[in-house]
Amino acid sequence: MTAPFTRSRRALALPLGMAVASAVAFLPGTASAQPDAAARPGAPGSSAVSALGSLTDGTSMSYVVNVRAGHGGSPSAKTTAYVKKAIANAGGTVVIAYDRIGVIVVHSSNADFAKKIRGAKGVASAGATRTAPLSAQSDDALEADRPLTAAEAKQAAGQAGAGQDELEPLQWDLPAIKADKAHKESLGSSRVTVGVLDSGVDDTHPDIAPNFDAKASASCLGGVPVQKDSAWRPVSGESDHGMHVAGTIAAAKNGTGVTGVAPGVKVASLKVAEPATGMYYTEAVVCGFMWAADHGVDVTNSSYYTDPWLFNCKTDDDQKALVDAVGRATRYAERKGAVNVAAAGNAKTDLAQDEIVDDSSPDDTTPTERVIKTADCLDLPSQLPGVVTVSATGAKGIKSSYSNYGKGVIDIAAPGGDSTRFQTPDAPATDGRILSTLPGGKFGYKAGTSMASPHAAGVAALIKSAHPHASSSKVKALLYGEADAMKCTDPYDIDGDGKVDAVCAGGKNKNGFYGVGMIDALDAVRR
C-alpha cells in the first residue's frame, strides 16, 4: 500500500473554518555564507581546517565524509588523518571535522569527488548533502501564520486569573498536559537547558530574554558553529518558526505574554535553517547536535526534516552518508546526556506502511516521484534510534488532522493544534492552533507536529529538573512511563464526512496515533 507524502514539516497554517494547509514562512533573506576563518571559533570535539571558497560560485558542492570507526567505536586519529589527506587528493577542502564522531564536512568542485573518496581507505561512507551547488536557492515562501490581534490580547488579559500570564487563557494546550497544575509546584530548573535546532531565536523578546542561554547558542549554518554578533538570531524576513518553538518550551512566567511548558528552564538557539530558503542541511544539523552536546544542553528539539530528502535511504550511497552523519551526531548528544525530541511530520501518513510515495524530494532542485521502502529509508532525525518521535493532537484531544502516525514509529503524543473547525477549544481559548512567541516581541498561532515536539521537549526538561542526575535514557523512561495512555480513536473521521480518514493500529498502552500516550507535565514534577 502506498500513500502520498507532502513536503511540509515545520508548521501549518490552519485558518479559522478552513481545512489544513501548509504555511511555512520561509521569506527572502540574505544568502548563507561561511564566516571568515578568523571569526570561526572552534567547538569542542571539532577542528576547523583551511579557508573556504565562495559559497555562491555555483560550482562547489557540500559533502559529509564519515570516517570508519575503530574497535572502541570511535575513529582513530591515524585513520582520521589519513582520510583528510585522501579528501585533499580527491579535490576536496575540509570545512570542519567533528573528530569525536568521525564526520567531516567537505566542499569540492570535483564532480567525481564522492565516488573517488568512497574508495579511500578508512572511509565508511560519503555523500553530497544537497543536490544543488552551494548558492542561494529560490524563495520557498508560503502564506504566513496568523498573528495574535490586539483585540484578542486585550480580551485575554482581562480573563487572566491569579498567577496567570496575560495570554495564558488562550493557551488551551497547557491544561491539556496539566502544565497549569505543574507550574503551581515547579517551573523547572534554570540549570536545565533545551536546545532549539531551528531557524533561530530572538533572545530580546520579553518572554525569552529571562531564560535565554547565550553560552549554549550558536549559528551552525554551513556546518561551522559561530557565536559572533549573536549569529543565532533570525535575520529580518526569516522564518519565525524557531521562535515559536522556543516560546512553547520556555516562555517565562513573568505576568505578561504567554507561558512555556517549562517556564523556569533555559532555552538555547542552535540555528540550522538557511535564511534564504529555510533548508535544514545535514552539515548544519550535525553541527547543531554536536554543539548542544558539548555545551551542556539537556534536551534538544528538532521540528524539521533534514533536507533535501524527505526520507534518506540507506540503499543510496549519498543518502546513506547523511543517515550515518546525523545518526552519529544524535548518538553523541545522547551519550553526553541530551534527550533528543523530534516532530513526526505533517503529511497525515502512516509511517508504518511498507512503502510510501515521496514526490517532494529532492526539494532543493527538481523533485521526482519515488516509492521508498520504510525498512530502508528514514526521516532525519525523527526516525533515528533513540530519538523521541512526537505526533500531534488538537484541542479535543485526538490526533490532529495532518499528523503523521504509525505503530512502532510514534513514541508519544503532545498538543500541536488543529483547524478550529476540526477541534474547537473550550472557552476562553478561541483558536485551535498553538499560541506562542514571535520575533520582535510579538505572538502568533501555528499548528503542526513542529508545535507538538516542543511540548514534549518541555516536559522532558521538567523531568530533568526534578531528576538532575538522571541519564538521558532515564529521562526518556520517565517521559514514557508518566504519559497518560490513550486508546485509538476509532473510527477516526476528523472532518465528519462519514469516511474514515486514518486507521489506528494497537491498543491503549501503545498505538500508532499516540504511542504510549499524552505527555504529562504534572507527573513530571511530582514523580
Side-chain angles (χ1 to χ4, degrees), residues 247-488:
T248 296
I249 295 168
K253 197 167 185 63
N254 52 5
T256 64
V258 296
T259 302
V261 173
V265 307
K266 296 294 186 182
V267 65
S269 174
L270 287 310
K271 188 173 181 177
V272 297
E274 301 261 353
T277 64
M279 296 289 182
Y280 294 72
Y281 286 120
T282 295
E283 57 268 39
V285 172
V286 168
C287 169
F289 282 112
M290 294 299 292
W291 181 269
D294 288 328
H295 288 79
V297 169
D298 301 284
V299 181
T300 68
N301 185 84
S302 295
S303 290
Y304 58 88
Y305 67 85
T306 305
D307 298 290
W309 305 100
L310 186 56
F311 294 95
N312 289 267
C313 300
K314 292 176 282 187
T315 52
D316 178 274
D317 286 339
D318 284 300
Q319 294 166 43
K320 179 183 185 300
L322 309 189
V323 174
D324 288 348
V326 179
R328 291 183 183 197
T330 59
R331 288 194 299 272
Y332 178 79
E334 189 166 4
R335 289 197 302 270
K336 294 280 283 187
V339 174
N340 300 315
V341 183
N346 302 331
K348 55 185 177 184
T349 294
D350 183 355
L351 299 175
Q353 298 175 88
D354 292 335
E355 295 181 341
I356 294 173
V357 174
D358 171 18
D359 60 2
S360 65
S361 303
D363 61 9
D364 59 350
T365 47
T366 304
T368 58
E369 186 175 296
R370 61 177 183 159
V371 178
I372 65 99
K373 294 185 179 298
T374 55
D376 301 323
C377 306
L378 302 176
D379 179 322
L380 302 180
S382 71
Q383 289 184 290
L384 288 168
V387 175
V388 178
T389 306
V390 187
S391 65
T393 59
K396 293 304 182 186
I398 63 173
K399 187 186 85 69
S400 299
S401 55
Y402 54 80
S403 181
N404 286 345
Y405 57 101
K407 186 180 180 183
V409 179
I410 301 302
D411 293 313
I412 203 164
D418 205 345
S419 169
T420 306
R421 81 176 180 93
F422 291 156
Q423 300 193 58
T424 305
D426 293 333
T430 59
D431 197 303
R433 293 167 288 191
I434 304 299
L435 180 63
S436 188
T437 52
L438 298 178
K442 299 177 181 179
F443 303 89
Y445 289 98
K446 292 182 187 288
T449 55
S450 285
M451 284 59 256
S453 181
H455 282 84
V459 171
L462 290 176
I463 293 172
K464 183 67 175 179
S465 299
H467 304 274
H469 303 296
S471 65
S472 57
S473 60
K474 177 63 174 178
V475 172
K476 286 195 293 183
L478 289 169
L479 180 69
Y480 297 150
E482 294 168 356
D484 293 330
M486 298 174 67
K487 65 180 181 180
C488 282

Side-chain angles (χ1 to χ4, degrees), residues 28-267:
T30 56
S32 173
Q34 289 288 356
D36 296 333
R40 203 183 295 139
S46 65
S47 56
V49 185
S50 74
L52 303 179
S54 171
L55 285 184
T56 58
D57 60 11
T59 58
S60 291
M61 291 287 285
S62 180
Y63 301 85
V64 285
V65 178
N66 301 308
V67 182
R68 193 175 301 280
H71 295 298
S74 299
S76 68
K78 183 177 180 180
T79 302
T80 300
Y82 184 90
V83 171
K84 289 177 181 177
K85 289 181 180 179
I87 288 169
N89 291 336
T93 301
V94 173
V95 177
I96 191 167
Y98 289 98
D99 296 326
R100 293 186 185 180
I101 62 171
V103 175
I104 305 174
V105 179
V106 178
H107 287 176
S108 178
S109 57
N110 179 3
D112 294 325
F113 172 77
K115 182 179 179 180
K116 188 171 183 179
I117 198 63
R118 287 183 194 124
K121 182 180 178 181
V123 173
S125 60
T129 66
R130 56 191 83 192
T131 61
L134 287 162
S135 60
Q137 307 297 319
S138 60
D139 174 38
D140 193 24
L142 300 172
E143 62 175 313
D145 295 332
R146 189 174 78 81
L148 182 75
T149 67
E152 288 174 312
K154 183 178 180 180
Q155 183 177 8
Q159 295 172 324
Q164 283 191 315
D165 283 349
E166 289 180 334
L167 300 179
E168 194 172 339
L170 302 178
Q171 294 182 267
W172 59 263
D173 48 310
L174 296 183
I177 62 172
K178 307 173 196 170
D180 54 337
K181 296 178 180 178
H183 295 163
K184 294 177 182 178
E185 301 190 23
S186 174
L187 301 179
S189 170
S190 61
R191 296 190 177 188
V192 172
T193 296
V194 181
V196 177
L197 279 70
D198 217 297
S199 58
V201 175
D202 175 14
D203 53 296
T204 67
H205 193 292
D207 261 0
I208 297 296
N211 291 339
F212 193 73
D213 188 343
K215 292 182 179 179
S217 297
S219 168
C220 274
L221 301 185
V224 180
V226 176
Q227 291 187 300
K228 185 179 179 181
D229 299 326
S230 302
W232 55 74
R233 293 174 181 165
V235 299
S236 177
E238 190 174 1
S239 170
D240 54 14
H241 188 267
M243 188 61 183
H244 196 279
V245 167
T248 296
I249 295 168
K253 197 167 185 63
N254 52 5
T256 64
V258 296
T259 302
V261 173
V265 307
K266 296 294 186 182
V267 65

Side-chain angles (χ1 to χ4, degrees), residues 482-498:
E482 294 168 356
D484 293 330
M486 298 174 67
K487 65 180 181 180
C488 282
T489 304
D490 184 24
Y492 180 79
D493 177 15
I494 191 68
D495 54 6
D497 64 356

